[in-house]
Amino acid sequence: MLAKRIIPCLDIKNGRTVKGINFLSLADAGDPVENAVRYSQSGADELVFLDITATVENRETLSQLVERIAESINIPFTVGGGIKSEADAYKLLSSGADKISINSMAVRKPDIISTFAERFGSQCVVTAVDVRRNESFPSSYEVYIDGGRTPTGIDALSWCKECQERGAGEILLTSMNADGTKAGFSCDITKKVSTNLSIPVIASGGAGTMEHFSDVFTFGFADAALAASVFHYHEIDIIELKRYLQKQGIAVRL
Amino acid sequence: MVAVIDYNAGNTRSVMNALSRLGVKAELTSDIDVIKSSDRMIFPGVGAASWAMDELKKRELIETIKEYQRPFLGICLGMQLMNSFSEEGNVDLLNITANKVRLFDKNVGVKIPHVGWNEVTFSSDPIFKNLREKEYFYFVHSYYVEYSENTIATCFYDNVTFSAGLRKDNFYGFQFHPEKSGEVGEKLLKNFLEVSL
């Protein structure tokens, strides 16, 4: 059986891992390479790095960091944040990233998805989609960009379908309603997207307990689940989580 | 020295990184003399079959690969190219083994490409020494090599049991990415580097 994937996410600022404290300030949480190695040795199936500074000056720091990560870990990883051009994407992929993720830029210039897919292959292109509940949309969710600040007036499901048609290889779906709550993933929209698309869907936002992961795989039909704080703060151990999921009859890599 | 074939085909860097973690001397090359003098050849690949065959022709590498006498390892597209024919662009391949490369059927509810960690069952080939009978490896592909007498490892997806591993004489191939498959992948690469024929 194809295993359901568990994906820790690391936020990167100026080449360091950062963690939010009460959603207000950011604390330094160490060297991303050391964190990545630790995760890769403790059962993570894949890693996602999001560069939250994403300024022009930082592109060089980021690609050097990606090179060090690629030298050090032996599982696939995705890099996102501030990718605006083919040159940005090429730089990260040639530094050793397996996939790149694009978000606001894909909404502003949807052609970028097809351009990247043709140039680098669909398997490298993840579109990150941030959605917030809004009953006036057909799928009951609206797409937001700019780190969740800007509503787009676009329906979540129809945008995800368009991403697939334009050549995206995977969707990283974040529910803004669930994000940061630790009250569980938004299984409703995850299910809608996952069952209507033929590419894998990574569910993100809301992980608080092991049961939440089991729910998003069973009721949300997610192919993978991503979380940050529950792993950073050692609230959930990945191997324990996988043993729990296996007991629920969910295929995982152990 | 391990020759890693450079034909403009994607994931060569991750293969080079994996070899470097294993402390092995490797060279990324398309130089025929360097390849001929190597102890092992690794033939990686991400991309489309017909495009890859054109790149090999341009670099006049086809005969060099087919005539290679020492242990050879094709990874992902590299393994697919070892076969006779691919439905991806309906193109003739290297014909080291006589199998066909087919597109998954896209059955309802099955996601294509086949992305992620799936279970691989091994034969008793010495390359799998010190591994469990089944292990998870990382796959990313939409086409697969049909099951045949060359199959040394299998995987099941989209209602089909396909070749996750191939062998003919000194030619090995893996559909999954050992260089991205954690500790188990590293063990398998190490086994390839140590296999004696």
Side-chain angles (χ1 to χ4, degrees), chain A residues 36-174:
Chain A
V37 169
R38 189 171 53 81
Y39 278 130
S40 70
Q41 291 171 348
S42 57
D45 294 310
E46 236 175 282
L47 296 175
V48 169
F49 297 87
L50 287 181
D51 183 32
I52 59 171
T53 35
T55 56
V56 178
E57 313 81 79
N58 271 307
R59 304 312 299 177
E60 197 54 41
T61 320
L62 182 63
S63 62
Q64 283 166 3
L65 176 65
V66 168
E67 272 183 35
R68 288 176 52 223
I69 294 166
E71 283 163 11
S72 311
I73 65 169
N74 50 21
I75 58 171
F77 69 100
T78 303
V79 181
I83 295 166
K84 290 192 173 60
S85 65
E86 214 175 312
D88 289 343
Y90 178 77
K91 186 140 210 199
L92 296 173
L93 291 168
S94 64
S95 299
D98 297 284
K99 313 173 192 183
I100 43 114
S101 104
I102 43 176
N103 190 335
S104 308
M105 201 58 197
V107 175
R108 291 209 171 88
K109 270 176 61 183
D111 283 347
I112 206 171
I113 304 173
S114 3
T115 308
F116 285 9
E118 277 159 32
R119 167 97 193 264
F120 310 116
S122 286
Q123 82 287 343
C124 294
V125 185
V126 178
T127 48
V129 181
D130 296 341
V131 301
R132 184 190 282 280
R133 195 165 179 86
N134 182 336
E135 295 298 340
S136 63
F137 286 80
S139 67
S140 304
Y141 280 83
E142 180 184 6
V143 175
Y144 277 65
I145 56 171
D146 301 328
R149 286 187 298 272
T150 316
T152 61
I154 301 171
D155 178 63
L157 178 58
S158 69
W159 171 241
C160 290
K161 280 186 178 165
E162 183 176 343
C163 293
Q164 171 178 302
E165 278 153 24
R166 288 180 178 275
E170 277 178 288
I171 303 281
L172 169 53
L173 183 70
T174 302

Side-chain angles (χ1 to χ4, degrees), chain A residues 1-3 5 45-46 67 70-76 94-96 98-99 123 194 197-200 223 252-254, chain B residues 13-14 17 21 46-47 110-119 132 136 138 140 156-157 178-183 186:
Chain A
M1 279 284 280
L2 184 63
R5 287 171 279 159
D45 294 310
E46 236 175 282
E67 272 183 35
E71 283 163 11
S72 311
I73 65 169
N74 50 21
I75 58 171
S94 64
S95 299
D98 297 284
K99 313 173 192 183
Q123 82 287 343
S194 190
L197 262 63
S198 61
I199 56 174
D223 298 283
V252 287
R253 174 181 70 111
L254 267 171
Chain B
R13 182 163 193 142
S14 52
N17 281 337
R21 284 192 293 271
V46 169
V110 177
K111 307 241 168 150
I112 308 294
H114 175 216
V115 183
W117 298 79
N118 207 337
E119 227 171 354
R132 296 185 289 187
Y136 275 98
Y138 188 77
V140 187
F156 182 79
Y157 191 67
E179 77 282 9
K180 285 284 160 188
S181 294
E183 233 175 273
E186 261 170 25

Side-chain angles (χ1 to χ4, degrees), chain A residues 168-185:
Chain A
E170 277 178 288
I171 303 281
L172 169 53
L173 183 70
T174 302
S175 161
M176 293 165 58
N177 301 80
D179 204 24
T181 64
K182 295 200 178 176
F185 293 90

Side-chain angles (χ1 to χ4, degrees), chain B residues 62-140:
Chain B
I62 290 181
E63 288 314 307
T64 311
I65 292 173
K66 292 181 72 161
E67 287 164 9
Y68 197 69
Q69 305 276 325
R70 285 178 285 267
F72 169 103
L73 177 60
I75 297 175
C76 195
L77 178 66
M79 157 168 146
Q80 296 188 357
L81 296 179
M82 290 161 58
N83 296 282
S84 60
F85 177 81
S86 178
E87 288 181 1
E88 187 181 23
N90 291 320
V91 62
D92 287 328
L93 308 173
L94 296 170
N95 203 23
I96 293 166
T97 56
N99 315 298
K100 289 197 168 56
V101 182
R102 300 186 184 283
L103 178 63
F104 280 116
D105 272 344
K106 305 199 177 190
N107 285 305
V108 177
V110 177
K111 307 241 168 150
I112 308 294
H114 175 216
V115 183
W117 298 79
N118 207 337
E119 227 171 354
V120 174
T121 309
F122 307 124
S123 72
S124 58
D125 193 281
I127 200 161
F128 301 123
K129 72 169 185 194
N130 302 330
L131 298 179
R132 296 185 289 187
E133 199 179 312
K134 283 179 177 184
E135 296 278 10
Y136 275 98
F137 286 92
Y138 188 77
F139 288 86
V140 187

